Amino acid sequence: MVMEAIPFVLIGVLISGLIQIFLTERWIARVMPRNRFLSSLFGCGVGVLFPSCECGIVPITGRLLNKGVPLNAGIAFMLTGPVINPIVLFSTYIAFGNDWKMVGIRAGMAIAVAFLVSIVISFLYPQLPFRSGEHVQQAAAASELKTLPTAEPRPRKPLMRQLYGVLSHSIEEFFSVGKFLVLGAFIAACMQTYIPTSSLLHLGGNPVTASLVMIGLAFVLSLCSEADAFIASSFRSTFQVGALSAFLVYGPMIDIKNTLMLLGTFKGKFVAVLIALVTLLTLVGSLIVGRLFG
């Protein structure tokens, strides 16, 4: 599990380093819509451009928030990025026998869940819920910068120095996130070993319990979003499309690995609220999908 996740963590921390060095607060202020609904939609769509799974999305999100991206847009990006990026969508297409229907269901439901969660979060948390005060100060400074359009631009550093800065930030981020990845993988492996999958599967007798079982399975298995569609497709003879959609949407948004990464970045209460919202809306979405496509 660790070996499967590390390449994507590396991609994530490298993107995080590039954002830190090359993406300016002033540019973000220009492209980011000020309306909370439009900024959430913007956050949902940006995930197409970032080929990162849930293993590497947390450091990218943290860096964007530090640069002044609104919390709701950052959360929308964090939840949709591991689902709607092209690599994941193509793997879903292949896993389900070259069927675009499941790809559309997965992407559409992920965007709907992420958008609604981000809007609720924007009302509940007007301040950034970072764990350390340092992150809050950095983000506040970024917010102040974007309100100063007449300020002089920062002098550009030589390219080699900028690249050195990217690597320095990436290395620091990698060791910060890596410990949570290893711990999460260990816990997930223990749960896979000691909780038989068969004990969960027999609970899937009706749409509600079936979706809850698949949500629990997605959390426990903690699969990379690039590979989880192949596991989901193996349950087609056991579960209906609604429960399968719950597995495909919930796992990339919330699993054991990224829960621990979230706890390393955000306050515990915020993480609990986020998980509760994602769980509730994924369940409701899977029931709607089951009615429409079951």
Side-chain angles (χ1 to χ4, degrees):
M1 198 179 294
V2 171
M3 295 305 294
E4 181 186 60
I6 278 180
F8 300 104
V9 174
L10 286 172
I11 292 172
V13 298
L14 282 171
I15 294 174
S16 174
L18 289 168
I19 289 170
Q20 171 65 19
I21 300 301
F22 291 105
L23 202 62
T24 66
E25 296 86 352
R26 200 171 307 282
W27 184 85
I28 290 174
R30 283 204 307 267
V31 301
M32 182 63 63
R34 297 189 180 276
N35 180 280
R36 78 174 74 218
F37 297 98
L38 291 179
S39 62
S40 288
L41 284 174
F42 182 86
C44 288
V46 169
V48 175
L49 305 176
F50 288 84
S52 177
C53 77
E54 76 280 1
C55 306
I57 202 74
V58 175
I60 299 174
T61 304
R63 190 63 63 195
L64 287 171
L65 293 176
N66 277 331
K67 286 287 185 176
V69 170
L71 178 62
N72 60 300
I75 293 301
F77 162 71
M78 184 181 74
L79 296 178
T80 56
V83 180
I84 68 169
N85 78 67
I87 299 172
V88 172
L89 294 182
F90 183 69
S91 70
T92 305
Y93 172 74
I94 297 298
F96 281 86
N98 301 342
D99 182 8
W100 286 110
K101 184 178 84 168
M102 205 65 202
V103 175
I105 290 172
R106 185 179 197 182
M109 183 172 154
I111 291 171
V113 170
F115 177 76
L116 293 173
V117 169
S118 68
I119 293 300
V120 174
I121 288 291
S122 71
F123 285 105
L124 294 179
Y125 291 91
Q127 301 294 326
L128 292 177
F130 280 124
R131 214 173 62 147
S132 71
E134 179 184 357
H135 285 296
V136 176
Q137 291 169 7
Q138 290 172 356
S143 293
E144 288 174 12
L145 274 174
K146 68 181 181 182
T147 64
L148 300 173
T150 59
E152 289 295 322
R154 293 181 299 180
R156 295 195 59 154
K157 298 178 183 177
L159 180 60
M160 292 305 295
R161 194 171 171 190
Q162 289 178 317
L163 293 176
Y164 177 79
V166 170
L167 291 177
S168 297
H169 281 286
S170 299
I171 291 169
E172 181 182 343
E173 199 88 63
F174 178 79
F175 284 105
S176 174
V177 171
K179 58 180 179 286
F180 297 107
L181 169 67
V182 173
L183 179 59
F186 177 75
I187 294 172
C190 288
M191 295 186 74
Q192 287 189 50
T193 302
Y194 296 109
I195 300 178
T197 304
S198 58
S199 66
L200 295 175
L201 295 182
H202 81 274
L203 298 174
N206 65 68
V208 175
T209 57
S211 291
L212 287 174
V213 165
M214 292 303 278
I215 286 172
L217 205 58
F219 183 81
V220 169
L221 293 179
S222 298
L223 299 167
C224 236
S225 57
E226 278 80 3
D228 61 357
F230 295 94
I231 304 301
S233 66
S234 69
F235 289 112
R236 279 185 289 182
S237 60
T238 308
F239 292 102
Q240 298 296 320
V241 66
L244 295 178
S245 68
F247 181 89
L248 290 170
V249 169
Y250 192 83
M253 292 185 178
I254 302 293
D255 64 15
I256 293 173
K257 301 190 306 296
N258 74 352
T259 295
L260 290 175
M261 293 181 195
L262 286 169
L263 288 170
T265 303
F266 298 102
K267 293 179 180 177
K269 184 178 179 181
F270 171 79
V271 175
V273 170
L274 179 66
I275 291 174
L277 287 172
V278 172
T279 303
L280 176 62
L281 289 171
T282 300
L283 175 62
V284 172
S286 69
L287 296 177
I288 294 173
V289 165
R291 283 288 184 89
L292 294 176
F293 301 99

